[in-house]
Each structure stands twice: as structure tokens, then as C-alpha cells.
């Protein structure tokens, strides 16, 4: 009986580990990448910026940032890498040759979670659906974002350049956005902490009950083993 109770401990430990991993998953997955729902329109020969930023804001200088072009037919899992940034370096060996020297990130923007890609001297061949992907220092993958680039030679360069200027975009309420992000992070942390405390109390209760059951089983086993000896002694004494 004691051996059966003891065999429950490894199973319980595995169950507790899985629960703990599930509790901390929302904390690790609190980040998301924001791209653009609207296509970015450019004219051949001009520079264009494909937006991608981390929410909530975080310093990503030591993270991995990858921009790629997925296969439109989704028949191939391999993607063409447009730009790859890792360990604060550009890895040209894995990039499409035509983008080397034309594609780059904003170094100062990385401090604030800005992973936008700048492409210089856009060509018609650059028109595609781009994917922005990032990995944290721990190797946790952040949900990717997508940006559609449309290169239209019929548009006037001056008009397109004006429409892409950041000053023409509505200025976001940075204070409200920061407070909202902080509130979501705190809420996720408190929920995770509450679930962890509940699991901790439940595990302590279960371990206590298992320990009590094991003690009872040992007492019953001891009583069973000693009872024949006591009967023999009683019979010997009565015969005397």
C-alpha cells in the first residue's frame, strides 16, 4: 500500500509542472507585433518604410528580428529572408542578395520596440507581402505581423512620399497607450500570481493527505504483521 501511495508523487509532480507552465504562458506571450492593416504604396526609385513595432514597448536591441517574404501559394515552408538581425548584427549570409545594402532597421528605434524595415530605391520586384518576426533572448517567438507593399509606377513620387511621412499620420496618445499596456501587463501578472497561489495551496493539501494516508497504511501494515505474534503469545500464556 505504501508503495502505491509513493508512486503518486511523480505523477503529481508532472501535473504541477504542467500547470505552472500554463500559468506562466500568458506572461511570456504578453507581447505582440503590430504591422499595418493598410497596404504601403510606393513609387519605383523612392525609399519606403514597412512599419512593425512591439506592443507593449520594450528594448529589443538584443532580440532577433527577421523580415521575410512568405510563399504566396503556401506550398513551401521555406521563406525568402529579406533582412535578418541577431546579436546586434546584420546577417547578410542568409539574406536575398538584392536587399543587401538596401534594407535596414532603425537602430535608435530598436530601443523602443520599433522593428520597422526601411527599403531604399524600391523596385517593382519588391512588391510583396512581408512578414515581421521576432524572438526574445529566451527564444520565445512573438506572434508575427504582416505588411503589404504595393509598388505603383503610375503614382507621382511626391504624392506618395507625402502620404508616407510620419507627420501626416494621426499622433497616437502615448500616455493612454502606455497606461493601457501597463494595465494589461499588471492584470496578467496578478491573474498568474493568483492561479499560482491556488495551485500551491492545493498541492500542499494533497501532499498532506497523501502523507497521512501513507502513515495510516504503514500503521495497518505494522498491526497486521504484529497481530499473529500477539495471538501466539496469548495462546502460549493461556496454555501455561
Amino acid at each position: 500500500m505504501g508503495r502505491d501511495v509513493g508512486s503518486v508523487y511523480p505523477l503529481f509532480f508532472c501535473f504541477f509542472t504542467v500547470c505552472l507552465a500554463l500559468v506562466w504562458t500568458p506572461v511570456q506571450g504578453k507581447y505582440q507585433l503590430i504591422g499595418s492593416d493598410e497596404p504601403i504604396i510606393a513609387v519605383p526609385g523612392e525609399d519606403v518604410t514597412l512599419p512593425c513595432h512591439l506592443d507593449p514597448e520594450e528594448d529589443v536591441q538584443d532580440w532577433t528580428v527577421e523580415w521575410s517574404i512568405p510563399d504566396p501559394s503556401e506550398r513551401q515552408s521555406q521563406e525568402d529572408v529579406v533582412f535578418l538581425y541577431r546579436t546586434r548584427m546584420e546577417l547578410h549570409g542568409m539574406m536575398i542578395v538584392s536587399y543587401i545594402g538596401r534594407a535596414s532597421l532603425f537602430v535608435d528605434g530598436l530601443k523602443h520596440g520599433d522593428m520597422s524595415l526601411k527599403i531604399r530605391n524600391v523596385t517593382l520586384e519588391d512588391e510583396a507581402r512581408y512578414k515581421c518576426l521576432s524572438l526574445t533572448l529566451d527564444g520565445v517567438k512573438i506572434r508575427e505581423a504582416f505588411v503589404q507593399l504595393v509598388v505603383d509606377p503610375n503614382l507621382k513620387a511626391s504624392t506618395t512620399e507625402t502620404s508616407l511621412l510620419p507627420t501626416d499620420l494621426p499622433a497616437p496618445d502615448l500616455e493612454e497607450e502606455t497606461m493601457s499596456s501597463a494595465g494589461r501587463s499588471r492584470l496578467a501578472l496578478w491573474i498568474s500570481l493568483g492561479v499560482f497561489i491556488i495551485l500551491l495551496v492545493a498541492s500542499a493539501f494533497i501532499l498532506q493527505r497523501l502523507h497521512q494516508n501513507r502513515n495510516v497504511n504503514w500503521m495497518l501494515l505494522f498491526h497486521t504483521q504484529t497481530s499473529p505474534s500477539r495471538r501466539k503469545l496469548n495462546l502460549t500464556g493461556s496454555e501455561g
Side-chain angles (χ1 to χ4, degrees), residues 17-194:
T17 303
V18 172
C19 291
L20 184 61
L22 292 175
V23 168
W24 283 106
T25 298
V27 178
Q28 293 182 346
K30 67 178 180 179
Y31 298 110
Q32 63 176 337
L33 292 175
I34 307 298
S36 175
D37 295 332
E38 300 294 331
I40 305 300
I41 303 176
V43 175
E46 71 174 359
D47 299 342
V48 67
T49 298
L50 306 182
C52 180
H53 70 274
L54 187 69
D55 181 35
E57 182 180 302
E58 184 78 20
D59 187 349
V60 297
Q61 294 183 93
D62 296 318
W63 291 19
T64 298
V65 180
E66 177 183 307
W67 279 87
S68 61
I69 301 178
D71 183 11
S73 62
E74 298 182 354
R75 296 178 180 177
Q76 299 180 359
S77 58
Q78 186 176 2
E79 300 175 350
D80 296 329
V81 178
V82 173
F83 187 86
L84 182 59
Y85 171 91
R86 184 182 299 159
T87 61
R88 301 194 178 213
M89 296 176 57
E90 299 180 11
L91 304 183
H92 293 165
M94 302 182 65
M95 293 170 49
I96 301 176
V97 178
S98 61
Y99 285 90
I100 297 178
R102 292 197 305 125
S104 62
L105 301 178
F106 297 90
V107 179
D108 293 336
L110 292 173
K111 301 176 183 178
H112 308 287
D114 185 5
M115 308 179 197
S116 300
L117 182 71
K118 182 176 182 179
I119 303 178
R120 299 175 180 84
N121 192 20
V122 174
T123 65
L124 293 174
E125 289 74 18
D126 294 333
E127 179 172 309
R129 183 171 181 257
Y130 292 78
K131 182 174 77 171
C132 176
L133 176 66
S134 180
L135 298 176
T136 66
L137 283 173
D138 300 328
V140 178
K141 179 181 177 181
I142 308 300
R143 184 177 181 181
E144 63 270 11
F146 294 91
V147 181
Q148 179 69 44
L149 174 60
V150 177
V151 182
D152 190 348
N154 298 322
L155 294 178
K156 294 182 179 180
S158 58
T159 304
T160 306
E161 289 175 355
T162 303
S163 63
L164 294 176
L165 288 176
T167 53
D168 293 334
L169 298 177
D173 192 341
L174 297 180
E175 183 178 357
E176 181 179 353
E177 183 177 356
T178 303
M179 292 179 62
S180 177
S181 300
R184 290 195 299 268
S185 300
R186 284 196 297 266
L187 178 60
L189 181 60
W190 280 111
I191 293 176
S192 302
L193 183 60

Side-chain angles (χ1 to χ4, degrees), residues 202-220:
S203 63
F205 175 77
I206 295 175
L207 287 175
Q208 183 180 7
R209 293 301 298 266
L210 291 176
H211 183 70
Q212 291 176 354
N213 292 337
R214 187 174 63 176
N215 290 338
V216 171
N217 291 333
W218 276 107
M219 292 177 63
L220 292 175

